[in-house]
Amino acid sequence: MRDDDFLRVEAHDCPMTSCAAPAGSPCRTGRGKVAVQHHTARFRLVPALAKTLTVATPAVRKPGTLLRRRLPRPRPATVAG
């Protein structure tokens, strides 16, 4: 896993109906707090992370706090080639 994997995950909307975090925001708990890890259904949208067990929400996203505003959208991941 890389330190910027969360950016690739957050490039997608969370498909979980209980979360529905838009692209550019971390996943949320049922109480509206930033989740400690991204939902499995969301990080499986990234082929390179599909078999990963968890993708943690980094400290910069302040896990465990109430998300009061939408965070800026992450820049698209560049493809090395």
Side-chain angles (χ1 to χ4, degrees), residues 21-57:
S25 291
C27 287
R28 298 167 176 86
T29 66
R31 294 184 178 205
K33 293 185 177 183
V34 177
V36 175
Q37 64 187 33
H38 290 287
H39 294 118
T40 305
R42 190 177 192 184
F43 67 77
R44 287 198 171 156
L45 296 173
V46 181
L49 301 175
K51 294 185 180 183
T52 304
L53 297 177
T54 62
V55 175
T57 304

Side-chain angles (χ1 to χ4, degrees), residues 25 28 66-72:
S25 291
R28 298 167 176 86
L66 282 175
L67 188 63
R68 299 186 187 279
R69 62 180 174 83
R70 184 174 176 173
L71 296 170

